[in-house]
Amino acid sequence: MATHGTYAALLRAVNLGPNNRVPMGELRSSLAALGLEDVATYVQSGNAVFRAGGRGSDGLARCIERRIAADFGLDVAVLLRTRSELERIVGANPFLDREENPVRLHVAFMDRAPARGAVAELDPERSPPDAFAVRRREIYLHFPGGSGRSKLTIGYFEKRLGVRATARNWKTVTKLLELTRELEGGAR
């Protein structure tokens, strides 16, 4: 029996308005057509979980991007995280101890770890009282007043760090972890 990895796929900038529409039922079908197993989606913002045998994350992400381009005509970045990576991400949030309302917490997922020099040049006072912390391929975000007016945008981080990124609220991050745990445990 092949060893399977359990993944969460995060699609960048889909279903946020009239552009980049990807119906979740069709996305599940597209991913299943790639041979991915137990595909499930979560909310309409481009989140999927699945099991994949014998593939590495980078090659798999590119394969999914090509399939989305073929099936939907869209150039969409796909960022993958394994169940164990999601465990680490959830456990390492530096803002959990100071924020009781999870609505104010987000995580930006990057396609690669940024250069240390670029991270050092980020402005910690760009959008007070908002705060961020860069850890590996993630940016933890704390928005005490809500994310709507923050200057800590995906565009800011992508430009300054030279990465592709997408953000999810804390509820979505923890739900994706829960769904990957269920898949890995054979609950589906």
Side-chain angles (χ1 to χ4, degrees):
M1 182 172 175
T3 303
H4 284 83
T6 306
Y7 294 91
L10 302 110
L11 282 62
R12 185 188 186 287
V14 300
N15 298 344
L16 297 176
N19 300 321
N20 287 354
R21 302 303 299 168
V22 177
M24 293 299 98
E26 292 177 32
L27 176 62
R28 286 190 298 275
S29 296
S30 290
L31 296 178
L34 289 172
L36 305 178
E37 300 174 9
D38 300 320
V39 179
T41 54
Y42 177 69
V43 298
Q44 296 298 311
S45 58
N47 306 294
V49 295
F50 55 85
R51 292 183 316 122
R55 300 184 194 190
S57 293
D58 291 340
L60 183 55
R62 302 299 84 74
C63 184
I64 294 170
E65 289 172 354
R66 286 190 299 273
R67 184 66 187 226
I68 289 170
D71 289 355
F72 303 101
L74 301 173
D75 180 17
V76 172
V78 174
L79 300 138
L80 295 181
R81 295 298 187 270
T82 64
R83 193 256 336 133
S84 61
E85 288 171 326
L86 288 171
E87 294 271 6
R88 175 190 50 78
I89 291 162
V90 167
N93 190 327
F95 301 117
L96 283 176
D97 62 347
R98 70 169 99 160
E99 182 55 64
E100 293 180 10
N101 186 348
V103 170
R104 297 179 181 145
L105 300 174
H106 291 71
V107 178
F109 297 85
M110 298 179 283
D111 64 342
R112 65 185 173 281
R116 287 184 186 166
V119 172
E121 291 180 11
L122 292 172
D123 180 5
E125 297 301 319
R126 177 173 172 78
S127 188
D130 303 333
F132 66 89
V134 179
R135 304 282 190 276
R136 298 185 186 195
R137 295 185 299 154
E138 287 76 40
I139 305 167
Y140 294 93
L141 299 158
H142 181 219
F143 300 118
S147 62
R149 295 182 183 206
S150 180
K151 293 180 184 176
L152 297 178
T153 64
I154 290 298
Y156 170 74
F157 289 113
E158 285 183 326
K159 182 177 179 181
R160 299 288 181 174
L161 300 176
V163 298
R164 295 187 306 170
T166 189
R168 297 296 186 272
N169 65 42
W170 192 244
K171 179 181 177 184
T172 297
V173 173
T174 58
K175 183 63 175 182
L176 290 173
L177 172 57
E178 177 186 323
L179 292 171
T180 58
R181 283 176 176 162
E182 288 174 10
L183 277 182
E184 207 159 271
R188 288 194 171 259

PDB file of all heavy atoms in Angstrom, residues 12 14 18 48 75 94 104 144-145 164:
ATOM      1  N   ARG A  12      -5.142  30.890  -3.700  1.00  0.00           N
ATOM      2  CA  ARG A  12      -5.008  32.326  -3.501  1.00  0.00           C
ATOM      3  C   ARG A  12      -6.050  33.079  -4.322  1.00  0.00           C
ATOM      4  O   ARG A  12      -6.189  32.866  -5.520  1.00  0.00           O
ATOM      5  CB  ARG A  12      -3.613  32.800  -3.909  1.00  0.00           C
ATOM      6  CG  ARG A  12      -3.392  34.270  -3.610  1.00  0.00           C
ATOM      7  CD  ARG A  12      -2.071  34.766  -4.190  1.00  0.00           C
ATOM      8  NE  ARG A  12      -1.794  36.129  -3.798  1.00  0.00           N
ATOM      9  CZ  ARG A  12      -2.408  37.203  -4.270  1.00  0.00           C
ATOM     10  NH1 ARG A  12      -3.366  37.067  -5.170  1.00  0.00           N
ATOM     11  NH2 ARG A  12      -2.086  38.407  -3.856  1.00  0.00           N
ATOM     12  N   VAL A  14      -9.447  33.314  -4.701  1.00  0.00           N
ATOM     13  CA  VAL A  14     -10.598  32.804  -5.440  1.00  0.00           C
ATOM     14  C   VAL A  14     -11.876  33.110  -4.682  1.00  0.00           C
ATOM     15  O   VAL A  14     -11.888  33.188  -3.454  1.00  0.00           O
ATOM     16  CB  VAL A  14     -10.508  31.288  -5.735  1.00  0.00           C
ATOM     17  CG1 VAL A  14      -9.284  30.961  -6.571  1.00  0.00           C
ATOM     18  CG2 VAL A  14     -10.539  30.462  -4.472  1.00  0.00           C
ATOM     19  N   PRO A  18     -16.653  38.892  -8.028  1.00  0.00           N
ATOM     20  CA  PRO A  18     -17.118  38.312  -9.292  1.00  0.00           C
ATOM     21  C   PRO A  18     -16.005  37.646 -10.110  1.00  0.00           C
ATOM     22  O   PRO A  18     -16.295  36.909 -11.046  1.00  0.00           O
ATOM     23  CB  PRO A  18     -17.704  39.513 -10.040  1.00  0.00           C
ATOM     24  CG  PRO A  18     -16.985  40.697  -9.468  1.00  0.00           C
ATOM     25  CD  PRO A  18     -16.706  40.356  -8.030  1.00  0.00           C
ATOM     26  N   ALA A  48      -9.200  23.174   0.402  1.00  0.00           N
ATOM     27  CA  ALA A  48      -9.499  21.763   0.179  1.00  0.00           C
ATOM     28  C   ALA A  48      -8.552  20.922   1.016  1.00  0.00           C
ATOM     29  O   ALA A  48      -7.421  21.331   1.297  1.00  0.00           O
ATOM     30  CB  ALA A  48      -9.346  21.403  -1.301  1.00  0.00           C
ATOM     31  N   ASP A  75      -5.195  31.549 -13.402  1.00  0.00           N
ATOM     32  CA  ASP A  75      -3.829  31.432 -12.898  1.00  0.00           C
ATOM     33  C   ASP A  75      -3.899  31.679 -11.392  1.00  0.00           C
ATOM     34  O   ASP A  75      -3.924  32.826 -10.943  1.00  0.00           O
ATOM     35  CB  ASP A  75      -2.923  32.464 -13.573  1.00  0.00           C
ATOM     36  CG  ASP A  75      -1.484  32.397 -13.082  1.00  0.00           C
ATOM     37  OD1 ASP A  75      -1.101  31.367 -12.471  1.00  0.00           O
ATOM     38  OD2 ASP A  75      -0.753  33.381 -13.280  1.00  0.00           O
ATOM     39  N   PRO A  94       2.044  33.112  18.031  1.00  0.00           N
ATOM     40  CA  PRO A  94       2.535  33.929  19.149  1.00  0.00           C
ATOM     41  C   PRO A  94       1.495  34.890  19.715  1.00  0.00           C
ATOM     42  O   PRO A  94       1.744  35.520  20.745  1.00  0.00           O
ATOM     43  CB  PRO A  94       3.697  34.701  18.513  1.00  0.00           C
ATOM     44  CG  PRO A  94       3.319  34.824  17.081  1.00  0.00           C
ATOM     45  CD  PRO A  94       2.603  33.540  16.746  1.00  0.00           C
ATOM     46  N   ARG A 104      -9.828  38.006  15.383  1.00  0.00           N
ATOM     47  CA  ARG A 104      -8.750  38.984  15.216  1.00  0.00           C
ATOM     48  C   ARG A 104      -7.411  38.350  14.840  1.00  0.00           C
ATOM     49  O   ARG A 104      -6.417  39.043  14.707  1.00  0.00           O
ATOM     50  CB  ARG A 104      -8.607  39.788  16.498  1.00  0.00           C
ATOM     51  CG  ARG A 104      -9.859  40.587  16.804  1.00  0.00           C
ATOM     52  CD  ARG A 104      -9.722  41.351  18.084  1.00  0.00           C
ATOM     53  NE  ARG A 104     -10.955  42.081  18.351  1.00  0.00           N
ATOM     54  CZ  ARG A 104     -11.442  42.277  19.557  1.00  0.00           C
ATOM     55  NH1 ARG A 104     -10.801  41.820  20.621  1.00  0.00           N
ATOM     56  NH2 ARG A 104     -12.561  42.940  19.718  1.00  0.00           N
ATOM     57  N   PRO A 144      -6.237  43.731  16.234  1.00  0.00           N
ATOM     58  CA  PRO A 144      -7.111  44.069  17.365  1.00  0.00           C
ATOM     59  C   PRO A 144      -8.354  44.848  16.954  1.00  0.00           C
ATOM     60  O   PRO A 144      -9.410  44.704  17.580  1.00  0.00           O
ATOM     61  CB  PRO A 144      -6.220  44.908  18.273  1.00  0.00           C
ATOM     62  CG  PRO A 144      -4.830  44.533  17.901  1.00  0.00           C
ATOM     63  CD  PRO A 144      -4.876  44.185  16.438  1.00  0.00           C
ATOM     64  N   GLY A 145      -8.274  45.656  15.915  1.00  0.00           N
ATOM     65  CA  GLY A 145      -9.417  46.439  15.449  1.00  0.00           C
ATOM     66  C   GLY A 145     -10.090  45.854  14.230  1.00  0.00           C
ATOM     67  O   GLY A 145     -10.917  46.504  13.594  1.00  0.00           O
ATOM     68  N   ARG A 164       4.648  34.488  -2.920  1.00  0.00           N
ATOM     69  CA  ARG A 164       3.211  34.435  -3.176  1.00  0.00           C
ATOM     70  C   ARG A 164       2.577  33.995  -1.864  1.00  0.00           C
ATOM     71  O   ARG A 164       3.115  33.130  -1.168  1.00  0.00           O
ATOM     72  CB  ARG A 164       2.882  33.428  -4.274  1.00  0.00           C
ATOM     73  CG  ARG A 164       3.447  33.819  -5.621  1.00  0.00           C
ATOM     74  CD  ARG A 164       2.979  32.917  -6.741  1.00  0.00           C
ATOM     75  NE  ARG A 164       3.247  31.518  -6.454  1.00  0.00           N
ATOM     76  CZ  ARG A 164       2.772  30.501  -7.170  1.00  0.00           C
ATOM     77  NH1 ARG A 164       2.014  30.725  -8.225  1.00  0.00           N
ATOM     78  NH2 ARG A 164       3.055  29.258  -6.854  1.00  0.00           N
TER      79      ARG A 164
END
